[in-house]
Amino acid sequence: MLRNYLKIAWRNIITNKAYTAINVLGLAAGMAVALVIALWVANEYSYDKFLPDADRVYQVRRNFNSNGETLTFSSTSLKLADVLHTLPEIEYVAPTDWGGTHGLMVGDKKLSIDGVQAGSDFLKMFEYRLLQGSRSSALSDPYSIVLTRATAIALFGTENVINKVVKVDNAYNLKVTGVMQDVPLNSSLQFKYIIPFSLMEQQPYMKDAHGSFGDNSFELFARLKPGVTYAQLAPKLKIIEKGEKNINAENSEVIMQPMADWHLYSDYKNGVASAGFIDYVRIFSIVGILVLLIACVNFINLTTARSEKRAREVGIRKAIGSQRKHLIFQFLIESALITFISFICSILFVQIALGPFNALTGTTIALPFNNMAFWLVAMGCVLLTALVAGSRPAFYLSSFNPVKVLKGTIQVGRSASYSRKILVVMQFSCSIVLIISTVVIYRQIQYAKNRPSGYNINRLMATNANEDLGKHFSAFKNELLQSGVVESISSASSAVTDVNMHNNLDQWPGKLAGETVEMGVIAVADDYFKTTDMKMIAGRDFENVISDSLNIVFNEAAIKRLRIKGDPISQVITYGGKPRKIIGVVKNALMLSPFAQADPTMFLYNNDPHQNMIYRLSPKVNPHDAIDKIGQVFSKYSSAYPYTYRFVDDDYNRKFGQEVLVGKLAGIFAGLAIFISCLGLFGLAAYIAEQRTKEIGVRKVLGATVGQLWFLLSKDFVLLVLVSCVIASPLAFYFLQGWLQKYDYRVTVGPDVFIISAIAAIAITLATISFQAIKAAIANPVKSLRSE
């Protein structure tokens, strides 16, 4: 019996090639979209899962009570690390410093790459695969280094490098004690090498680093002992810092975030990790399901619309004894066969699409052909899709009364027209929501990009400085200025597009009892504001390293946050236990998120060389020539390091990376949803034109024009799309308003967005159905009326 059902199903598929092609293409596209999104979602959830005992690893954070508002920081103190070591619930604690780029040199090979300085328990806690070396002792010697496989090959040409020496920052000869597998892309922590934290602790500036809970400059990680839960440990964490007479410690509460949440739950609100990239993962999961449902609707509509072609078959089968359940099973078998063919096509589509998709998202997703679980889940989804797509046609077609069908007294297909219209409206409502979302996301990105940044990024460049360059920074600076390739040059403790350090002020005019304010702190050298082109709105710039050493410049946001009344110039605040005079106020600059309010920031004057060198190219020199010249001068004063650079506008544009990615994905999926919807519309238009062939012939004989016939056949579809616009607009407005609330600086969703989206949807609809409408309208009426 099953063989007979398959044979009949295959015969119907072959007989109706055009409609089969539309069904298969629509279902294949929908399944491909759902599969790509499912693979991407699985990749996002896979972050850090490759590490053994990942469920016991946590990052230590601080909830800081800032006048009733809870702010969460990942920066912690070494004194806290010492206390955590004493708690019996904790197995390992590792302080880390992600201080950026270091220079690695072996012979004439020089690399300037990012790494981490980590405590000796780091590799015990994070069990990355070690290719060489011992996990227990690799970081025990301060003068050791662990390389990733790629770094080892880049420096030595081989991964067999144990006990070989790498010169770091042209100052330390470190012995290679381990080689580890390259860190996977789906790891929250990314680094190219590990240097023992104990080497950093030998530096003079680290002398008192363990003395206070208030010195929050490092990131801590901890792993709990087997069988211990975070709930058991949490009460002890809450009281750790409460005994110290330090305003930072008194207002801080220690918390821990499990590794499973690092990637997806990065946004804290009132001390709780409640949002982050998980929002987009959920949104696109819903989009994938909706696109697949849109494809299923195509199958349902086209199958029920062509029911008249199958009505006599059903009538005859019932007349000779077929039961309804047998007919339902037959139609479901036909649906399953079409769905399976569509699935095979979708695998091909996904294989083709994954290359561009990975390039867009920065992932390395691949179809897991060798994973049996993948195929079992895929086959389950295929059967579920076949059931969803085929159940409505199966139950509808099998319900025909055989007597009425064979007598010709039943108007087959008309009873389903209303349900078809409802399904078309649902299809286009989903598609139009995606169109509106794409438009709003694009506008939000452009709105933030067009926002004044507070500094001029044109021809502004940055380079990570180093100790060698620091020793000769004045000579380096003077030589570059004299060469004419740069207009201005300076350095700072933070990049132009970032704020590396936040700290508390001790005292300021108008401070309330118990009030705390934590703000960004940036140490800058000569010509910083000139080089970045940040504008002074009051007071003056730093002028003399001696007389201005205890003076400060605030930005507008800091003045507002401190509620300083009157003229702020010459007013005194206390920071770091020292009174400091305000000599200037600089216009707000967007150093953190371009979607948020400017961060309150204090600028200190320190002419010592800083980690971030900033310089503006001269407009009179070709950028390529200027970069070549800067590289030559750089190598003269810092021969142990390769000259690396970046354009600040690239750094700034990377701040939009997540939103740009979401916008592009939304646009792609909206386009595919519209394409699938239009496939169904095209099939329905062809069917309706076929059904009304004689009517169209009569109208043409009676003098109807092509335009009138086109309007006759198009108006019903346009009406359905208009209804879809009416339904989709408030739904899109509701969800987009919620999404926009996460941004302090956001666009307003006006009526023009909905009008543009509606016009686009109607134009696409008319373009889709016009071919069939005009084809029917220009057909020779003699042929259609010949049988009459």
Side-chain angles (χ1 to χ4, degrees):
M1 184 67 74
L2 180 60
R3 182 181 177 185
N4 184 52
Y5 287 156
L6 287 170
K7 190 181 293 184
I8 294 170
W10 182 253
R11 188 180 301 147
N12 282 317
I13 289 172
I14 295 300
T15 303
N16 302 288
K17 293 184 179 65
Y19 286 94
T20 298
I22 290 174
N23 276 329
V24 168
L25 183 57
L27 272 176
M31 294 171 82
V33 169
L35 183 53
V36 168
I37 291 177
L39 291 171
W40 177 72
V41 168
N43 180 71
E44 297 304 312
Y45 273 105
S46 74
Y47 265 69
D48 303 314
K49 300 293 193 305
F50 61 90
L51 287 168
D53 297 316
D55 58 322
R56 294 194 282 129
V57 178
Y58 291 77
Q59 180 169 10
V60 183
R61 299 185 186 275
R62 292 182 301 120
N63 279 343
F64 180 73
N65 183 357
S66 178
N67 308 314
E69 180 185 5
T70 301
L71 306 176
T72 302
F73 298 96
S74 60
S75 56
T76 54
S77 66
L78 293 183
K79 184 174 182 178
L80 175 59
D82 296 336
V83 175
L84 294 178
H85 269 297
T86 66
L87 298 181
E89 294 86 355
I90 294 179
E91 184 177 23
Y92 299 122
V93 176
T96 61
D97 179 74
W98 303 83
T101 302
H102 291 273
L104 276 60
M105 183 169 63
V106 175
D108 59 352
K109 292 182 180 179
K110 295 179 283 188
L111 297 178
S112 184
I113 52 178
D114 293 336
V116 59
Q117 295 184 262
S120 58
D121 288 342
F122 186 82
L123 286 175
K124 303 173 191 175
M125 183 187 312
F126 298 101
E127 297 184 43
Y128 296 102
R129 184 186 169 200
L130 271 183
L131 304 177
Q132 297 179 52
S134 168
R135 190 179 305 279
S136 60
S137 60
L139 297 174
S140 58
D141 182 357
Y143 292 91
S144 61
I145 186 171
V146 175
L147 306 176
T148 62
R149 182 176 181 273
T151 305
I153 292 174
L155 287 171
F156 296 97
T158 175
E159 60 183 64
N160 299 313
V161 296
I162 292 295
N163 293 326
K164 293 186 178 181
V165 175
V166 178
K167 194 161 192 176
V168 176
D169 290 339
N170 203 29
Y172 306 102
N173 290 315
L174 305 184
K175 184 171 66 175
V176 178
T177 54
V179 178
M180 57 179 283
Q181 188 63 268
D182 294 338
V183 180
L185 287 176
N186 62 340
S187 172
S188 298
L189 306 179
Q190 292 291 328
F191 52 89
K192 304 292 186 183
Y193 55 86
I194 309 171
I195 297 174
F197 195 82
S198 54
L199 179 64
M200 175 188 285
E201 291 184 297
Q202 295 180 1
Q203 305 305 312
Y205 64 85
M206 294 286 289
K207 181 180 178 182
D208 300 319
H210 290 262
S212 170
F213 285 123
D215 185 6
N216 296 299
S217 304
F218 310 97
E219 293 189 23
L220 295 182
F221 299 93
R223 189 166 93 174
L224 306 186
K225 290 181 178 178
V228 176
T229 65
Y230 177 66
Q232 294 173 278
L233 179 63
K236 293 184 177 181
L237 298 178
K238 290 183 178 180
I239 60 173
I240 284 179
E241 296 191 356
K242 297 303 180 184
E244 183 168 308
K245 293 182 178 180
N246 177 289
I247 194 167
N248 195 303
E250 289 175 355
N251 289 278
S252 293
E253 180 179 296
V254 178
I255 62 170
M256 289 185 179
Q257 184 184 33
M259 183 188 281
D261 292 348
W262 292 355
H263 177 62
L264 295 177
Y265 294 89
S266 57
D267 294 346
Y268 276 77
K269 187 174 183 180
N270 293 324
V272 178
S274 57
F277 203 67
I278 186 65
D279 296 338
Y280 296 115
V281 170
R282 289 168 177 164
I283 288 171
F284 284 114
S285 298
I286 294 170
V287 168
I289 294 170
L290 288 178
V291 172
L292 183 57
L293 287 176
I294 288 171
C296 291
V297 166
N298 278 357
F299 183 89
I300 295 168
N301 278 346
L302 289 176
T303 306
T304 55
R306 293 183 57 79
S307 56
E308 187 175 345
K309 302 287 185 181
R310 309 291 298 272
R312 289 189 180 277
E313 175 193 342
V314 172
I316 292 171
R317 285 180 175 276
K318 281 192 171 183
I320 61 176
S322 286
Q323 297 180 22
R324 187 182 183 190
K325 63 181 180 181
H326 295 144
L327 292 170
I328 290 173
F329 189 64
Q330 177 195 325
F331 291 126
L332 287 176
I333 288 292
E334 190 172 319
S335 169
L337 185 57
I338 290 176
T339 305
F340 183 75
I341 295 171
S342 302
F343 175 70
I344 299 300
C345 294
S346 74
I347 291 291
L348 178 61
F349 292 165
V350 170
Q351 192 66 19
I352 294 170
L354 277 180
F357 183 82
N358 283 332
L360 176 65
T361 58
T363 55
T364 55
I365 297 171
L367 280 167
F369 289 112
N370 298 325
N371 190 326
M372 184 57 67
F374 165 75
W375 291 110
L376 290 174
V377 172
M379 288 300 103
C381 292
V382 167
L383 292 175
L384 180 61
T385 302
L387 185 63
V388 171
S391 56
R392 165 67 182 167
F395 283 97
Y396 175 71
L397 293 172
S398 64
S399 67
F400 293 156
N401 186 314
V403 176
K404 291 183 178 180
V405 168
L406 295 175
K407 280 185 175 181
T409 58
I410 187 172
Q411 297 270 327
V412 180
R414 303 223 172 200
S415 59
S417 62
Y418 290 112
S419 63
R420 283 201 302 274
K421 289 178 180 178
I422 291 172
L423 290 174
V424 169
V425 168
M426 288 173 56
Q427 269 188 316
F428 272 87
S429 294
C430 294
S431 300
I432 292 166
V433 166
L434 289 174
I435 291 174
I436 295 171
S437 300
T438 303
V439 173
V440 171
I441 292 171
Y442 174 79
R443 287 192 170 187
Q444 171 65 7
I445 294 169
Q446 295 306 310
Y447 186 65
K449 280 188 173 181
N450 293 332
R451 180 184 182 186
S453 65
Y455 44 82
N456 181 6
I457 59 178
N458 184 34
R459 295 177 285 105
L460 189 62
M461 297 180 64
T463 291
N464 290 326
N466 56 68
E467 189 172 340
D468 285 0
L469 190 65
K471 293 175 182 177
H472 309 96
F473 187 73
S474 294
F476 172 76
K477 177 179 179 179
N478 291 334
E479 187 166 341
L480 281 186
L481 290 172
Q482 290 170 9
S483 70
V485 296
V486 299
E487 281 186 334
S488 182
I489 182 170
S490 184
S491 67
S493 60
S494 294
V496 179
T497 56
D498 201 3
V499 179
N500 290 345
M501 185 174 75
H502 287 74
N503 219 327
N504 294 296
L505 300 190
D506 302 326
Q507 192 69 40
W508 64 92
K511 177 184 176 181
L512 303 176
E515 185 178 7
T516 60
V517 167
E518 185 162 306
M519 66 172 59
V521 180
I522 300 177
V524 301
D526 285 333
D527 301 324
Y528 176 80
F529 297 114
K530 175 185 175 182
T531 303
T532 58
D533 200 18
M534 293 184 185
K535 304 298 184 184
M536 285 285 173
I537 61 172
R540 63 174 177 85
D541 193 354
F542 297 115
E543 295 174 352
N544 185 283
V545 69
I546 297 176
S547 59
D548 283 336
S549 61
L550 291 179
N551 293 339
I552 58 169
V553 171
F554 277 135
N555 69 351
E556 296 172 286
I559 297 295
K560 181 179 179 181
R561 179 68 185 82
L562 296 175
R563 305 183 310 278
I564 294 179
K565 298 178 181 178
D567 186 0
I569 304 304
S570 297
Q571 295 203 43
V572 177
I573 62 102
T574 304
Y575 171 72
K578 298 177 181 179
R580 299 175 185 268
K581 184 171 69 174
I582 304 172
I583 62 166
V585 178
V586 71
K587 196 171 181 62
N588 284 336
L590 303 179
M591 294 180 159
L592 297 178
S593 172
F595 300 100
Q597 300 295 329
D599 195 43
T601 307
M602 174 174 61
F603 298 90
L604 307 177
Y605 189 33
N606 183 341
N607 216 23
D608 293 337
H610 299 292
Q611 184 179 3
N612 299 276
M613 184 174 69
I614 308 154
Y615 45 100
R616 187 178 302 280
L617 300 183
S618 170
K620 300 176 182 178
V621 181
N622 181 283
H624 295 290
D625 296 337
I627 290 170
D628 288 341
K629 178 61 177 177
I630 295 169
Q632 293 170 16
V633 178
F634 181 93
S635 298
K636 176 180 176 181
Y637 293 102
S638 183
S639 59
Y641 297 82
Y643 171 59
T644 59
Y645 61 88
R646 62 187 186 275
F647 287 92
V648 174
D649 58 349
D650 290 336
D651 289 346
Y652 188 72
N653 289 332
R654 272 192 285 273
K655 293 179 177 292
F656 300 90
Q658 183 170 289
E659 284 72 22
V660 169
L661 172 61
V662 170
K664 287 180 178 178
L665 291 178
I668 291 169
F669 295 141
L672 289 170
I674 283 288
F675 170 73
I676 295 168
S677 299
C678 288
L679 274 178
L681 211 58
F682 183 83
L684 285 177
Y687 168 74
I688 289 172
E690 180 185 341
Q691 292 295 96
R692 301 178 73 173
T693 300
K694 285 186 172 58
E695 176 192 345
I696 293 169
V698 171
R699 288 179 180 274
K700 284 199 74 173
V701 170
L702 294 176
T705 64
V706 172
Q708 289 171 328
L709 293 173
W710 172 80
F711 178 76
L712 175 72
L713 294 173
S714 304
K715 64 178 181 180
D716 289 340
F717 291 110
V718 173
L719 182 61
L720 293 178
V721 174
L722 284 172
V723 172
S724 300
C725 292
V726 172
I727 294 172
S729 295
L731 287 174
F733 181 79
Y734 174 78
F735 288 113
L736 288 169
Q737 281 294 98
W739 176 72
L740 288 170
Q741 290 304 310
K742 65 187 287 187
Y743 301 111
D744 296 330
Y745 193 79
R746 55 183 177 266
V747 72
T748 301
V749 182
D752 59 320
V753 172
F754 305 107
I755 293 171
I756 291 170
S757 301
I759 292 172
I762 292 170
I764 293 169
T765 301
L766 289 175
T768 302
I769 63 178
S770 289
F771 174 78
Q772 294 292 353
I774 294 173
K775 179 182 175 183
I778 64 176
N780 190 342
V782 174
K783 293 181 179 179
S784 60
L785 298 175
R786 185 176 294 163
S787 61
E788 300 297 327

